[in-house]
Amino acid sequence: MPKIWIDITTPKQVMYFNRLIKIFREKGHKVLITSRIYYELTQMLKSYKIDARILGKHGGKTLKGKLLASLDRAKKLLDLVSEETPDLLISLTSDVAARVAFGLKIPQITCSDTPWAFAVNKLSIPYANKLYAPKATSYEDWRPFGVLEEDIIYYDAVDAAAWIKYLKPNQNVLKELNLDKEKPIVVLRPEETYAAYVLEFGIKEPIIFPTIRAILANFTDIQIVALPRYKEHSEIFKKHFQDKIVVPERTIDVPSLLAFASLEMGYGGTITQEAAILGVPAISCYPEPLWCDTYLKEKGLLYKANTPEDAAKISVKILKNREKYLKHHKELAKKVLQEMEDPIEKLANVALEFLKNKI
């Protein structure tokens, strides 16, 4: 049986690829899983019981650090993959794995829902035999990265549908964070500070700060959970707000937490997608147009904020009428989620067909 290599480089990919790994193994395929040291990622791999080979680390927020880390990781992946000889690489635009696979003549399928992530796309998509992307994007989004139109396979969903479709919310997350189910919960997620596509925006303070201040000034019974991406986030959240907000000390079951929330605000990333299709009013504060924001906004599941201050105003407005907003969003999201494809089921079929025909 063919051996499939999956490289997991971010926390989101743990949830995204978890079922794919199980599907391949159930069909008798060998699966080589590689990953790296990265905040939240290692903990999530353990939580999902994914037996990944940890090679290399994230390079931090400097360009030199990123380059050094990628060069080091490439050598480590080269040694391992040369021995394992997989038949196919599947990754979510892992630039290092893509380069190693290309050098060893291993065909690859790369997945991406972030056409705005220019640097990593430039370093991964040109090597791909197939690009797996959301139907709501267009060829014009991907053309700059050298992929042919006929080599793009589309799925009709947002990535978060891959696991939200199967979610059974666990109330234990509320106990872990000492949250009261009877009181409103607001989940906030800061920007991806170390990502290359975020560095250029020159953000001075976490984008969630104005919303935290506005909620604290207008409500006394709302529980705020700020989800840090890095240790530095935890430290600055606690420094500015102390015990007025909840800052998880370790990785938690975020989808379950969102299922009990009244509002989510973030940078337009995965957690915002999760909240939207769970029927939680979601606000994206990404400073530029995103296909996923437009897609979810058109379906009535997301609110777009132009600035962090705008996000704060929208948050207060929703929370003052939270029961009305929640009822509306829950009903709408249920219908929208049912209509979405399962991205992982389709990806598994694409990969197996690829291996069968070597197209």
Side-chain angles (χ1 to χ4, degrees):
M1 294 291 282
K3 181 186 293 186
I4 301 168
W5 171 24
I6 297 177
D7 192 39
I8 299 175
T9 58
T10 67
K12 164 194 169 176
Q13 295 172 36
V14 175
M15 296 181 290
Y16 188 76
F17 287 129
N18 182 46
R19 280 184 46 249
L20 186 68
I21 294 167
K22 292 178 179 178
I23 290 171
F24 287 149
R25 285 178 171 163
E26 286 170 358
K27 292 182 179 295
H29 292 276
K30 295 180 180 179
V31 184
L32 168 65
I33 309 163
T34 55
S35 188
R36 62 179 177 175
I37 298 171
Y38 188 27
Y39 187 80
E40 289 188 328
L41 178 54
T42 306
Q43 294 180 51
M44 287 193 66
L45 288 168
K46 290 180 180 178
S47 177
Y48 279 75
K49 298 180 180 179
I50 295 178
D51 54 338
R53 305 284 290 273
I54 308 299
L55 301 169
K57 63 181 181 180
H58 187 278
K61 58 184 178 181
T62 68
L63 295 178
K64 183 177 180 180
K66 291 178 182 294
L67 181 56
L68 287 171
S70 67
L71 293 172
D72 175 67
R73 187 164 192 259
K75 292 179 181 178
K76 292 175 179 176
L77 281 177
L78 175 60
D79 290 340
L80 175 66
V81 175
S82 296
E83 292 182 3
E84 293 284 345
T85 61
D87 299 282
L88 175 69
L89 165 66
I90 299 176
S91 78
L92 206 157
T93 56
S94 171
D95 55 325
V96 181
R99 180 65 184 89
V100 170
F102 181 78
L104 296 176
K105 294 187 177 181
I106 300 169
Q108 54 188 294
I109 299 171
T110 193
C111 313
S112 180
D113 68 340
T114 55
W116 56 85
F118 189 83
V120 72
N121 288 346
K122 267 288 191 181
L123 295 170
S124 57
I125 293 176
Y127 296 115
N129 297 77
K130 297 292 178 182
L131 171 64
Y132 190 63
K135 186 178 180 180
T137 62
S138 70
Y139 180 56
E140 293 307 310
D141 292 318
W142 306 109
R143 186 198 295 270
F145 310 115
V147 63
L148 298 177
E149 190 167 12
E150 58 265 32
D151 288 333
I152 304 176
I153 299 170
Y154 294 104
Y155 54 96
D156 190 7
V158 293
D159 281 7
W163 58 93
I164 295 300
K165 276 180 172 287
Y166 303 91
L167 178 68
K168 295 180 180 178
N170 189 337
Q171 292 194 38
N172 287 338
V173 69
L174 303 180
K175 296 178 182 178
E176 290 178 35
L177 300 177
N178 196 27
L179 297 172
D180 186 344
K181 184 182 177 182
E182 302 306 316
K183 294 181 180 180
I185 298 169
V186 172
V187 179
L188 305 176
R189 180 71 155 174
E191 61 280 7
E192 173 59 279
T193 312
Y194 292 173
Y197 64 88
V198 174
L199 293 176
E200 62 190 64
F201 292 132
I203 297 169
K204 296 180 180 179
E205 72 169 8
I207 54 104
I208 65 174
F209 274 23
T211 296
I212 295 175
R213 297 185 189 111
I215 293 175
L216 293 176
N218 284 275
F219 306 95
T220 58
D221 64 336
I222 291 180
Q223 304 162 103
I224 301 173
V225 181
L227 301 175
R229 290 179 183 269
Y230 306 102
K231 183 179 179 181
E232 292 87 343
H233 282 158
S234 297
E235 293 171 350
I236 195 171
F237 294 167
K238 292 175 182 177
K239 176 183 177 182
H240 283 263
F241 300 105
Q242 299 178 2
D243 60 350
K244 294 179 181 178
I245 66 174
V246 177
V247 182
E249 297 290 339
R250 59 186 181 83
T251 301
I252 61 168
D253 182 354
V254 174
S256 287
L257 173 62
L258 289 170
F260 300 108
S262 296
L263 176 74
E264 185 277 343
M265 193 280 280
Y267 209 54
T270 302
I271 291 177
T272 299
Q273 287 184 22
E274 290 176 321
I277 61 177
L278 276 169
V280 178
I283 304 169
S284 170
C285 197
Y286 195 81
E288 295 181 351
L290 301 178
W291 75 265
C292 47
D293 284 359
T294 302
Y295 176 83
L296 293 169
K297 183 179 179 182
E298 288 177 349
K299 293 184 179 297
L301 298 178
L302 179 135
Y303 302 88
K304 184 71 175 180
N306 297 318
T307 65
E309 290 71 26
D310 187 29
K313 292 178 182 178
I314 298 171
S315 298
V316 170
K317 178 182 178 182
I318 292 173
L319 290 171
K320 284 184 175 179
N321 297 279
R322 56 183 176 269
E323 291 184 6
K324 173 185 174 183
Y325 277 94
L326 262 179
K327 183 176 184 297
H328 171 72
H329 278 263
K330 291 291 183 184
E331 292 174 353
L332 187 57
K334 183 178 180 181
K335 179 176 180 294
V336 171
L337 185 60
Q338 286 177 340
E339 294 172 348
M340 288 184 181
E341 284 187 287
D342 178 345
I344 292 304
E345 183 177 324
K346 185 169 184 176
L347 176 57
N349 292 333
V350 166
L352 294 176
E353 189 68 20
F354 185 96
L355 286 168
K356 179 181 178 182
N357 299 318
K358 293 292 183 181
I359 58 175

